[in-house]
Amino acid sequence: MDALRTPKPRLLRAGDVVEVRSEEEILATLGPDATVDGLPFMPEMLRQCGSRLTVDSRADTTCFYGALRDMDAAVHLTGIRCDGSAHGGCQAGCLIYWKEEWLRPVEPTPGHPQVSQPLLLAPPLHRDGCTRDDVFRAVHPPESSGGEELWSCQATQVRAATRPIRTWDLRHYVRDVRRGNLRPGTVLRRIPPSLLFAYQGLSRRRLPRWLRVAKGADIPFIHGTSTQTPSVDLGLQPGDRVRVRSRKEIRATNDRNARNRGLAFDVEMTPYCGKSMRVQRLVRQIIDEWTGRMLHLPGRCIVLEGGVCQALYHGLCQRKTESYWREVWLERETPAAARAPVSRTAAQT
């Protein structure tokens, strides 16, 4: 009898192979505003229709401006980031969210790995539907008519598509472990520093000075004391090899708010200190997630290959936002230095 039972629909997990549904199928799942549960399907995603890709992680635990948020039935696909082509050339390179109903999971047929068969997943809901033109039209929210050009994308709509997770609510860790996003050992190692980081932020806002640890500064320490932060022009271009300076060296270039000429050095960038990395691209403009305005970044901002936020101090969110680097935080790597091993002391400074 057990063999005759219909298997229950299951959630997608990291490593699953999926096929992005056809454009027609996906448009039928959208509301007139080109969204599902507040999350927009963007024009940049259309080219992936029909593609077979691998699930990188579930997006149940995500974030907005550093605050954890809870999202329903969505995943990230390996390597699929927004190129900003329909959003004014935004260069933020955000990892795209995919609602499970936009995907059709597949797996190799036993004995024939080149042949795939569909897996049972909750069927997509058919809403009012929209057209391809509606998807492009939704790039500009209605309030753009005031004269200033504003933009709407998944990043600006994270608040509408999610629910807040309270700072001290640890249940999302349990959920992420049960759903295969995280390993138990990783969670146990990261909960204490995450709670300490959250306490420091809370203490700056709520507690008197005498109750603060290290005056409420972020831990690990990333703030500096400079009043006029220095600038370095290395002339870096995509493909160049660099070594990230030590945390001590970087702090010497930052002000008391851990910024260098307005750009913040985040605690999530500290794991890369001392490491050899490659320049991926330069970033000149990004859409501000809070306002929808296009921001033109002053000075040279560098993105390093693989240099993404690991959320080690922010609840192990899976959004993997790319970090922006000032050239003063980097140094060119000579061929000899590239071959030399990175000392453990330098990497942990």
Side-chain angles (χ1 to χ4, degrees), residues 158-178:
V158 165
R159 283 178 295 173
T162 57
R163 300 173 297 276
I165 298 175
R166 295 183 181 276
T167 303
W168 311 111
D169 186 349
L170 306 183
R171 288 176 295 179
H172 65 93
Y173 289 114
V174 177
R175 176 188 62 192
D176 283 339
V177 169
R178 292 181 62 184

Side-chain angles (χ1 to χ4, degrees), residues 224-232 251-257 259-262 328:
T225 58
S226 300
T227 54
Q228 186 172 358
T229 54
S231 172
V232 169
R251 288 184 65 191
T253 71
N254 293 343
D255 62 20
R256 295 184 182 276
N257 295 315
R259 294 175 180 271
N260 178 281
R261 292 175 293 131
V328 73

Side-chain angles (χ1 to χ4, degrees), residues 22-81:
S22 68
E23 177 179 329
E24 182 181 6
E25 289 176 297
I26 292 176
L27 292 177
T29 71
L30 304 176
D33 58 353
T35 70
V36 170
D37 300 331
L39 184 72
F41 183 84
M42 303 185 299
E44 290 89 347
M45 302 163 71
L46 287 167
R47 67 174 65 94
Q48 300 300 338
C49 289
S51 301
R52 288 198 172 179
L53 302 161
T54 303
V55 175
D56 179 75
S57 63
R58 294 196 58 79
D60 303 313
T61 303
T62 190
C63 70
F64 183 80
Y65 269 78
L68 289 182
R69 310 283 298 187
D70 180 58
M71 180 176 286
D72 291 329
V75 299
H76 297 298
L77 302 180
T78 301
I80 305 302
R81 292 182 175 271

Side-chain angles (χ1 to χ4, degrees), residues 6-293:
T6 301
K8 294 181 179 179
R10 66 178 181 83
L11 298 171
L12 292 174
R13 298 167 70 96
D16 285 348
V17 177
V18 296
E19 180 178 280
V20 181
R21 292 182 183 274
S22 68
E23 177 179 329
E24 182 181 6
E25 289 176 297
I26 292 176
L27 292 177
T29 71
L30 304 176
D33 58 353
T35 70
V36 170
D37 300 331
L39 184 72
F41 183 84
M42 303 185 299
E44 290 89 347
M45 302 163 71
L46 287 167
R47 67 174 65 94
Q48 300 300 338
C49 289
S51 301
R52 288 198 172 179
L53 302 161
T54 303
V55 175
D56 179 75
S57 63
R58 294 196 58 79
D60 303 313
T61 303
T62 190
C63 70
F64 183 80
Y65 269 78
L68 289 182
R69 310 283 298 187
D70 180 58
M71 180 176 286
D72 291 329
V75 299
H76 297 298
L77 302 180
T78 301
I80 305 302
R81 292 182 175 271
C82 177
D83 65 4
S85 56
H87 288 82
C90 171
Q91 297 175 298
C94 297
L95 200 58
I96 291 176
Y97 298 96
W98 297 85
K99 282 292 188 179
E100 288 187 315
E101 55 191 294
W102 298 337
L103 307 172
R104 180 183 292 108
V106 296
E107 69 176 8
T109 301
H112 300 278
Q114 72 278 12
V115 180
S116 298
Q117 59 185 4
L119 294 172
L120 186 63
L121 195 70
L125 296 176
H126 287 267
R127 298 175 176 83
D128 294 337
C130 70
T131 66
R132 185 186 181 94
D133 288 342
D134 291 330
V135 172
F136 280 88
R137 193 176 299 114
V139 163
H140 288 293
E143 56 267 30
S144 296
S145 59
E148 182 180 14
E149 187 174 39
L150 300 180
W151 302 89
S152 176
C153 64
Q154 288 188 342
T156 67
Q157 300 306 307
V158 165
R159 283 178 295 173
T162 57
R163 300 173 297 276
I165 298 175
R166 295 183 181 276
T167 303
W168 311 111
D169 186 349
L170 306 183
R171 288 176 295 179
H172 65 93
Y173 289 114
V174 177
R175 176 188 62 192
D176 283 339
V177 169
R178 292 181 62 184
R179 295 182 175 180
N181 248 20
L182 301 173
R183 296 181 177 179
T186 302
V187 170
L188 292 176
R189 287 195 304 272
R190 299 317 310 177
I191 284 180
S194 289
L195 292 180
L196 176 59
F197 183 83
Y199 174 80
Q200 292 297 89
L202 180 67
S203 71
R204 289 194 298 268
R205 298 188 301 270
R206 302 285 181 84
L207 298 182
R209 289 180 177 272
W210 63 274
L211 280 178
R212 300 176 189 170
V213 176
K215 300 181 181 179
D218 289 337
I219 299 176
F221 296 132
I222 52 176
H223 64 283
T225 58
S226 300
T227 54
Q228 186 172 358
T229 54
S231 172
V232 169
D233 186 354
L234 301 179
L236 294 175
Q237 296 297 324
D240 289 345
R241 299 290 308 188
V242 297
R243 188 181 298 275
V244 180
R245 293 183 179 276
S246 70
R247 180 157 56 92
K248 180 179 179 181
E249 292 175 301
I250 291 174
R251 288 184 65 191
T253 71
N254 293 343
D255 62 20
R256 295 184 182 276
N257 295 315
R259 294 175 180 271
N260 178 281
R261 292 175 293 131
L263 185 65
F265 182 84
D266 191 80
V267 292
E268 299 295 348
M269 299 162 74
T270 59
Y272 301 106
C273 289
K275 290 189 174 182
S276 172
M277 305 182 76
R278 189 186 301 274
V279 175
Q280 179 174 308
R281 68 180 191 279
L282 277 64
V283 176
R284 298 178 177 83
Q285 60 180 17
I286 60 173
I287 293 173
D288 179 29
E289 297 178 6
W290 194 274
T291 65
R293 295 185 175 93

